[in-house]
Amino acid sequence: MSGIFTDVAVLRIDVEPGVDPDDTDQPRAVQQKVPLTAVAPEGSVRGGIVVLHESREIPPSLLALLHALALEGWLAVAPDLFHRDSVVDGEEVFGENLFADFDATFDWLTSRGVYPDCVGVIGFDDAGTAALIVATNRPIGAAVSVAAAGITEPLNADAVALVEAAPSLQAPWLGLYGEDDPRAPAEHIERLREAATRASVATNVVSYSGRHHRADAPPSPGSAEDGDPGTAALIEAQTRIFDWFDSFLR
């Protein structure tokens, strides 16, 4: 199957974390499946990319990224991290629920013939934070975070500061930041860059002027041919992302 489609991934667990599955008096999980939006390549599948995002509905710009990944030969899939009724708008998803949803999406990809070390993950903003944390705990092939917050202080009780998590990375990780991002001051980015060098895998932290480098955002007016710096930064950042996955998902 090629093109865009929706599906569901089955959770490995069907009770809330910490609940005894044999205790019939305990409430069952609200959802046992994770809704997915996926875009498949027309030809053979090279591997799979899990796209973590913060939107309850995928915006057109992020959908365009899924299509762009598919054009590169990846089966790109975005799980709905907010499918549980207990999650409210604006609430970050970390901890056991994040890993449960990622594991279900990972299993969905491997059930379609994708090798575990050919699975990558990319996330934006707080979901970029989640992508790095996933890369410290799961046997994936590569990870990318864009504008990941919580560098020196955890975003919430279920998260961990990225400077603490980065040395434990188990998969090659690329971090992209904008120099004008108030949630990621330059001194914090530098601390993250230094922490990432202590990991046993390849890492790279890249800073862009402005905030036009985001592959999940629509391009700014103008074109790279006209010398527009915003569009040039977006193209360069997308190229870095594709090259990162090309290099490590083999």
Side-chain angles (χ1 to χ4, degrees), residues 73-212:
W74 307 111
L75 175 53
V77 56
D80 178 5
L81 300 178
F82 298 91
H83 64 93
R84 295 172 179 82
D85 291 342
S86 59
V87 179
V88 299
D89 286 336
E91 180 181 0
E92 301 95 343
V93 179
F94 294 105
E96 294 184 41
N97 285 340
L98 165 66
F99 290 116
D101 290 351
F102 178 83
D103 288 342
T105 310
F106 179 91
D107 292 345
W108 183 89
L109 284 168
T110 56
S111 72
R112 282 155 179 77
V114 177
Y115 292 108
D117 59 356
C118 287
V119 174
V121 62
I122 182 172
F124 300 85
D125 298 307
D126 293 352
T129 306
L132 187 153
I133 295 174
V134 163
T136 69
N137 287 272
R138 293 298 185 268
I140 59 175
V144 177
S145 299
V146 181
I151 296 177
T152 60
E153 296 291 338
L155 288 175
N156 64 20
D158 290 325
V160 60
L162 297 189
V163 292
E164 300 296 329
S168 300
L169 281 163
Q170 298 180 23
W173 174 73
L174 170 66
L176 303 181
Y177 285 93
E179 294 176 351
D180 295 340
D181 189 345
R183 302 183 71 195
E187 60 271 21
H188 291 186
I189 296 173
E190 187 56 37
R191 286 184 59 184
L192 177 59
R193 182 178 287 112
E194 190 279 329
T197 63
R198 301 200 299 272
S200 61
V201 294
T203 63
N204 191 17
V205 178
V206 181
S207 297
Y208 291 88
S209 60
R211 301 179 66 182
H212 300 293

